[in-house]
Amino acid sequence: MDDKIDRIVAARMKLMERFKAKAHEGEAEGSGPSNRHGMPKLPVGQRHVENWPVLDLGIHPMLPEKRWRLTIDGAVHHPVTLTLRDFMELPQVEDTSDFHCVTTWSRMDLAWKGVRLADAIALAELNEDATHVMLHAYDGYTTNISLEEALKPDVLLAHTVDGAPLPREHGGPVRVITPQLYAWKGAKWVKRIELMVGDRPGFWEERGYSMSALPWKNDRYR
Ligand SMILES: Nc1nc2c(c(=O)[nH]1)N[C@H]1C(S)=C(S)[C@@H](COP(=O)(O)O)O[C@H]1N2
Ligand SMILES: [Mo]
């Protein structure tokens, strides 16, 4: 199993070195018509895919409803742990958004249903000095997001996509999506939302990926 992760990491590091070897001076934004935020629908350095690739560390945890829990803790006044039933009773929203992977594919117009990450965080009443969020997942994955990005209304804890329950390989029963950041910031099989005072790198960020991950700035690595 560790061998498999090592191979995945090595492939990603090779991609990172290739990207860094090229000049990206002055590059920004992207191409095509604008999205709803006034940014080009296809960010710089990305290409469209019609399929939806599965990208992760090769571990797809089995999470029966009985075992699934979501904890919101860290720099909060009231840490909470939700069952799947508690979670499904939170306000539900629907939103169609795009998905940009740092390995250069973009999958457009996925129709999501779920709970706003902002609403889940509000349940725990975050401390005034909280600045970042660490997402922890059931496969051991972690990723960090600034609170400003995490609270955007299209950042969802998603359980449904294109009208069907989110498949296990895409992070079901519940994953995070971050349509305005590269998709590695959206933890599949999310387990814990840790509010932080200050920033700290997650799995890929420790290995050289960007802390901020802004697709329209070609902000992939650091
Ligand atoms: N738990 C977990 N979440 C994860 C990952 C992972 O390895 N584990 N990979 C990230 C990466 S790099 C991408 S591009 C997207 C891929 O989501 P998909 O497999 O549904 O396309 O999930 C992100 N979230
Ligand atoms: Mo990715």
Side-chain angles (χ1 to χ4, degrees):
M1 188 54 90
D2 281 358
D3 275 16
K4 190 169 175 186
I5 295 181
D6 288 349
R7 282 200 305 277
I8 291 167
V9 170
R12 293 289 196 106
M13 295 299 98
K14 223 157 130 182
L15 207 61
M16 174 166 76
E17 292 317 318
R18 241 169 54 197
F19 178 85
K20 286 183 169 173
K22 284 197 216 154
H24 295 281
E25 218 63 56
E27 265 190 82
E29 308 223 328
S31 59
S34 296
N35 68 13
R36 60 182 164 178
H37 307 292
M39 301 307 288
K41 197 155 166 77
L42 191 68
V44 57
Q46 296 293 111
R47 65 194 164 76
H48 290 276
V49 293
E50 296 300 327
N51 60 332
W52 183 9
V54 170
L55 253 87
D56 51 46
L57 304 175
I59 306 157
H60 296 174
M62 270 278 262
L63 297 164
E65 174 165 355
K66 271 214 310 236
R67 213 161 66 74
W68 188 89
R69 294 287 184 279
L70 176 64
T71 295
I72 306 152
D73 65 0
V76 301
H77 294 291
H78 303 291
V80 289
T81 295
L82 305 174
T83 64
L84 198 53
R85 200 166 170 171
D86 301 330
F87 170 76
M88 295 304 281
E89 282 169 4
L90 298 177
Q92 302 289 316
V93 297
E94 292 184 27
D95 193 44
T96 296
S97 60
D98 303 335
F99 196 93
H100 309 293
C101 174
V102 70
T103 63
T104 73
W105 55 267
S106 290
R107 167 64 207 257
M108 303 304 185
D109 305 315
L110 288 166
W112 299 97
K113 190 169 176 191
V115 171
R116 287 203 172 101
L117 186 58
D119 289 344
I121 288 173
L123 280 181
E125 295 179 39
L126 73 167
N127 289 352
E128 297 60 36
D129 54 358
T131 59
H132 291 78
V133 173
M134 184 71 79
L135 301 176
H136 300 256
Y138 279 95
D139 62 343
Y141 185 80
T142 54
T143 189
N144 56 311
I145 313 181
S146 74
L147 196 55
E148 183 188 346
E149 291 294 336
L151 296 181
K152 287 192 170 166
D154 59 357
V155 176
L156 304 184
L157 290 154
H159 55 73
T160 296
V161 66
D162 291 338
L166 183 64
R168 174 151 71 114
E169 68 269 25
H170 286 298
V174 182
R175 75 171 300 161
V176 176
I177 55 156
T178 58
Q180 299 183 64
L181 302 176
Y182 288 114
W184 89 77
K185 295 291 185 179
K188 298 158 77 164
W189 314 289
V190 63
K191 175 184 183 180
R192 176 177 172 216
I193 301 161
E194 179 197 2
L195 278 293
M196 306 194 290
V197 178
D199 205 0
R200 197 172 88 221
F203 181 88
W204 287 118
E205 294 82 5
E206 276 181 352
R207 292 165 175 78
Y209 279 34
S210 169
M211 298 291 264
S212 42
L214 301 165
W216 292 271
K217 295 198 166 154
N218 216 353
D219 167 30
R220 298 167 193 267
Y221 309 112
R222 62 200 173 103

